[in-house]
Amino acid sequence: MPQTQILSRNQKIVLDIIEKAKGPLKAYSILFNVQKKGINAPQQIYRALDKLIEMGKIHKIESKNAFVACRSSDCEISKATAFSICESCEMVDEISDAKLSKYLSGFNYRKGMKFKRFNLEFFGICKKCKKD
Amino acid sequence: MPQTQILSRNQKIVLDIIEKAKGPLKAYSILFNVQKKGINAPQQIYRALDKLIEMGKIHKIESKNAFVACRSSDCEISKATAFSICESCEMVDEISDAKLSKYLSGFNYRKGMKFKRFNLEFFGICKKCKKD
DNA sequence: TAACAAACGTTATATTATAACACTATGATA
DNA sequence: TATCATAGTGTTATAATATAACGTTTGTTA
Ligand SMILES: [Zn+2]
Ligand SMILES: [Zn+2]
Ligand SMILES: [Zn+2]
Ligand SMILES: [Zn+2]
């Protein structure tokens, strides 16, 4: 298992644009932004996104169908993700909190199964939006 | 604020089919199943779904774009939802755990905002699927 | 009854995501 | 070297999910 993943051309292009973005990006907005680089079809975007998610380089914000770069080192390959989402400006922050992560990773629902993975999305109004 | 919400005709039809389902239902599968009752267009389904979600009668499973009936009395108007999802058979269970709910409702991210709502999705393989 | 809000029905369209197929590059292996 | 497998690419087409916009109907309330 290689420490540093080698990215393909398209994967690099897609990761690059997501990393540079200030907020979550939608697949088709990525597509429109990379057409000058010779990527023409949704498939090319979705394939890159899938691999980047597998590698833990990006995450999908399920409630928004959008993608953000991983800013956290302790979210090992996307097995434990948590986000803070502003319902006004759409800002998304990855939450990196060891206690929270530990609490949820260890959570066992009595009548249920053993969990392999979780995704948590918090919603509210961010400080910046509250000032308005 | 009325204790018992009065549902419209379409809302009743949609809620009824979701409540009777064994697993999460997709909007278009709901649509196909109610066409005999005179509902013909996606809009009618989505409008009912939106209202039912507002009322806390159903929840959306974001990672699946599907809908389940609320089985929990203490998830007050969908402000605090948690689910257990089998990655093999697609089964979804609403998690009703007071400690978990309290812990997350009280969670405050130091550099962030005050949260009004959260949604948590756990993934794994359910007991039934593990036997195979 | 007049006014308003909520729900309804309908047509059209936007947005998000996948299927399918042929092709290319790479590296392992026999 | 020939061959095989794996991963990535490019392309066309289509499926699946969701919303816009408009006018009508229904139910509540003043
Ligand atoms: Zn991360
Ligand atoms: Zn904001
Ligand atoms: Zn519930
Ligand atoms: Zn299962």
Side-chain angles (χ1 to χ4, degrees):
Chain A
M1 203 183 284
Q3 199 82 348
T4 307
Q5 298 264 11
I6 288 158
L7 300 180
S8 76
R9 181 188 130 81
N10 287 1
Q11 287 160 13
K12 263 183 228 143
I13 292 172
V14 170
L15 179 56
D16 188 58
I17 190 170
I18 295 176
E19 279 180 337
K20 284 180 178 149
K22 287 181 183 155
L25 289 184
K26 303 232 168 196
Y28 275 75
S29 115
I30 295 169
L31 175 57
F32 298 140
N33 278 286
V34 298
Q35 289 192 318
K36 49 200 160 201
K37 300 205 174 167
I39 296 183
N40 306 299
Q43 267 291 8
Q44 296 172 281
I45 303 297
Y46 282 105
R47 282 199 287 232
L49 290 172
D50 287 348
K51 290 297 176 184
L52 292 168
I53 289 170
E54 264 183 31
M55 295 173 195
K57 301 276 189 192
I58 65 171
H59 303 298
K60 180 172 187 182
I61 308 301
E62 295 288 357
S63 60
K64 302 175 78 65
N65 299 315
F67 305 85
V68 296
C70 178
R71 308 291 186 191
S72 157
S73 53
D74 60 336
C75 98
E76 10 124 15
I77 318 294
S78 305
K79 294 280 177 287
T81 49
F83 303 94
S84 160
I85 301 169
C86 175
E87 287 175 311
S88 168
C89 70
E90 316 272 280
M91 175 244 29
V92 170
D93 247 355
E94 185 164 358
I95 294 176
S96 189
D97 183 292
K99 276 178 82 177
L100 174 67
S101 184
K102 195 175 170 193
Y103 179 83
L104 292 176
S105 297
F107 181 79
N108 268 301
Y109 195 42
R110 56 197 172 293
K111 57 180 197 185
M113 61 206 197
K114 181 97 184 60
F115 300 128
K116 291 194 305 192
R117 180 168 75 83
F118 69 81
N119 179 56
L120 172 58
E121 300 183 2
F122 282 106
F123 303 87
I125 305 293
C126 76
K127 287 176 178 171
K128 206 177 152 201
C129 287
K130 241 172 198 161
K131 283 180 196 154
D132 303 344
Chain B
M1 202 183 282
Q3 200 81 346
T4 306
Q5 296 263 12
I6 288 159
L7 300 179
S8 76
R9 181 188 129 83
N10 287 2
Q11 287 159 14
K12 263 182 229 143
I13 292 171
V14 170
L15 178 57
D16 188 59
I17 191 171
I18 295 176
E19 280 180 337
K20 282 180 180 149
K22 287 181 184 157
L25 289 184
K26 304 233 168 194
Y28 275 74
S29 115
I30 295 170
L31 176 56
F32 297 141
N33 278 286
V34 298
Q35 290 191 320
K36 47 199 158 199
K37 301 206 175 168
I39 296 183
N40 306 298
Q43 267 290 7
Q44 298 173 280
I45 302 297
Y46 282 105
R47 282 200 286 233
L49 290 172
D50 287 348
K51 290 298 176 183
L52 291 169
I53 289 170
E54 264 183 32
M55 295 175 197
K57 299 278 188 192
I58 65 171
H59 303 298
K60 180 172 187 181
I61 307 301
E62 294 288 357
S63 60
K64 303 175 79 64
N65 298 316
F67 304 85
V68 295
C70 177
R71 309 288 186 193
S72 156
S73 52
D74 60 336
C75 98
E76 10 125 13
I77 317 295
S78 306
K79 294 280 177 288
T81 50
F83 303 95
S84 162
I85 301 169
C86 175
E87 286 175 312
S88 168
C89 71
E90 315 272 280
M91 175 244 28
V92 170
D93 246 355
E94 184 163 359
I95 294 176
S96 190
D97 183 293
K99 275 178 82 176
L100 174 66
S101 183
K102 195 176 169 192
Y103 179 84
L104 291 176
S105 296
F107 181 80
N108 269 300
Y109 195 43
R110 54 197 175 292
K111 58 182 196 184
M113 60 207 197
K114 182 95 184 59
F115 301 129
K116 290 193 305 191
R117 179 168 74 84
F118 69 80
N119 179 55
L120 170 58
E121 299 183 2
F122 283 106
F123 303 88
I125 305 293
C126 76
K127 287 176 178 172
K128 206 179 151 200
C129 286
K130 238 170 198 159
K131 283 180 196 155
D132 304 344

